[in-house]
């Protein structure tokens, strides 16, 4: 399985060593870019569809955990690369896939990549079970896998979706809630041509269910069930474009 990645590391020599190791020993990994600080890394993450980020902990003007907090909805795997073992617990709490110590062991690097490859392979298999049906007779529906098959949901019945780590909670107008093992970004992508707007890093709302907008830096929306959801300043214009 091919993996797209970036390297976030402030030392050029370390970046080059890791890139060379990946090219020689992990040919299924494609390095799309390199960053030496948090801001550069943010640009790469937001502009690329990534499977894996190799992330040094200590960088100028912020560390790895600052970066992950700014990213918010994380839909890639993270491999921490550091000379300091005391960050291991923090990395675990940040849901890191692997923790590599410098100098990098080739064997450990291969294990890390193999582990991420296994995760992504399982995700891909699961993704094939959560699909937007493609025939005209089932337009406006999505399917959600269950142990004994799948459930079909009308998109018009969805009030909003809420991120829950690598899961998504789907809230329906029937006062029911569905928990699905896919990220919010996944649902944002499959619903992008419908009346759903990402209003916050943690929320995707059905615009047809919005009954009120409250002004503010980002403001907030009130849905038909009375639920009020904050709108991020960066998402405000996208939301309001539905009402022009």
């Amino acid at each position: 399985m091919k993996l797209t990645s970036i390297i976030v590391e402030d030392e050029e020599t370390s970046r080059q060593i890791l890139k060379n190791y990946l090219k020689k020993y992990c040919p299924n990994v494609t390095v799309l870019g390199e960053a030496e600080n948090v801001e550069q890394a943010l640009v790469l993450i937001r502009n690329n569809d990534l499977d894996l980020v190799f992330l040094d902990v200590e960088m100028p003007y912020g560390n790895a955990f600052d970066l992950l907090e700014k990213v918010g909805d994380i839909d890639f795997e993270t491999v921490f690369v550091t000379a300091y073992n005391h960050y291991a617990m923090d990395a675990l709490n940040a849901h890191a896939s692997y923790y590599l110590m410098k100098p990098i062991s080739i064997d450990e690097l291969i294990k890390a990549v193999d582990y991420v490859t296994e995760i992504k392979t399982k995700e891909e298999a699961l993704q094939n079970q959560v699909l937007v049906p493609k025939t005209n007779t089932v337009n406006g529906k999505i399917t959600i896998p269950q142990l004994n098959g799948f459930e079909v949901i009308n998109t018009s019945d969805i009030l909003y979706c809420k991120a829950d780590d690598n899961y998504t909670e789907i809230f329906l107008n029937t006062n029911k809630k569905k928990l699905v093992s896919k990220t919010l970004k996944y649902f944002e992508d499959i619903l992008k041509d419908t009346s759903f707007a990402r209003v916050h890093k943690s929320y995707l709302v059905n615009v047809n269910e919005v009954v009120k907008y409250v002004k503010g830096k980002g403001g907030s929306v009130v849905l038909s069930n009375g639920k009020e959801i904050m709108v991020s300043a960066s998402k405000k214009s996208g939301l309001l474009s539905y009402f022009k």
Side-chain angles (χ1 to χ4, degrees):
M1 183 181 189
K2 298 292 185 181
L3 300 176
T4 55
S5 72
I6 62 171
I7 298 172
V8 184
E9 161 69 65
D10 64 320
E11 296 179 0
E12 183 177 357
T13 301
S14 296
R15 293 198 304 271
Q16 193 61 46
I17 290 173
L18 178 54
K19 189 163 62 172
N20 290 341
Y21 280 176
L22 289 169
K23 183 177 180 180
K24 186 173 182 179
Y25 301 105
C26 306
N28 65 317
V29 177
T30 300
V31 179
L32 299 180
E34 303 171 36
E36 61 182 27
N37 56 49
V38 169
E39 294 307 317
Q40 290 179 7
L42 276 174
V43 173
L44 287 175
I45 289 170
R46 288 169 177 168
N47 291 335
N48 292 282
D49 185 11
L50 299 173
D51 298 309
L52 171 60
V53 173
F54 292 96
L55 184 56
D56 187 17
V57 175
E58 295 192 344
M59 294 175 286
Y61 315 113
N63 62 28
F65 307 106
D66 297 326
L67 172 61
L68 295 177
E69 184 176 353
K70 288 184 178 182
V71 171
D73 184 21
I74 297 171
D75 58 356
F76 52 80
E77 300 302 316
T78 305
V79 171
F80 279 81
V81 185
T82 179
Y84 306 99
N85 59 16
H86 59 270
Y87 287 115
M89 184 57 68
D90 291 330
L92 182 64
N93 291 336
H95 305 288
S97 297
Y98 216 90
Y99 193 87
L100 291 175
M101 291 294 298
K102 296 178 182 177
I104 295 173
S105 160
I106 294 171
D107 288 341
E108 286 299 308
L109 176 61
I110 294 172
K111 286 181 183 178
V113 171
D114 285 348
Y115 183 66
V116 172
T117 301
E118 182 180 353
I119 292 173
K120 287 298 181 180
T121 299
K122 290 179 179 178
E123 283 185 359
E124 188 175 271
L126 181 59
Q127 182 170 322
N128 290 333
Q129 301 175 29
V130 187
L131 302 171
V132 178
K134 299 184 184 306
T135 61
N136 291 332
T137 56
V138 287
N139 279 344
K141 300 178 186 292
I142 59 174
T143 61
I144 294 178
Q146 296 182 327
L147 290 177
N148 59 348
F150 62 86
E151 180 179 1
V152 179
I153 294 179
N154 293 317
T155 56
S156 59
D157 290 339
I158 300 174
L159 291 171
Y160 65 96
C161 302
K162 180 183 178 183
D164 182 6
D165 200 3
N166 287 324
Y167 290 78
T168 296
E169 294 178 307
I170 300 176
F171 292 81
L172 305 174
N173 56 18
T174 55
N175 292 323
K176 292 183 178 180
K177 179 176 72 172
K178 308 290 182 180
L179 182 65
V180 185
S181 57
K182 298 300 296 182
T183 65
L184 187 62
K185 187 178 185 303
Y186 175 81
F187 285 100
E188 181 183 15
D189 288 342
I190 67 172
L191 294 169
K192 65 182 179 181
D193 295 324
T194 62
S195 58
F196 283 79
R198 185 74 172 265
V199 299
H200 187 276
K201 70 178 183 180
S202 299
Y203 288 95
L204 180 70
V205 303
N206 185 344
V207 177
N208 289 323
E209 297 294 333
V210 174
V211 297
K212 183 179 181 181
Y213 172 74
V214 181
K215 289 183 177 180
K217 183 177 180 180
S220 64
V221 290
V222 179
L223 303 183
S224 59
N225 68 340
K227 172 72 174 179
E228 184 172 5
I229 296 174
M230 299 301 296
V231 178
S232 298
S234 61
K235 305 293 186 183
K236 180 178 179 179
S237 61
L239 170 69
L240 295 182
S241 67
Y242 283 89
F243 299 97
K244 290 181 179 178

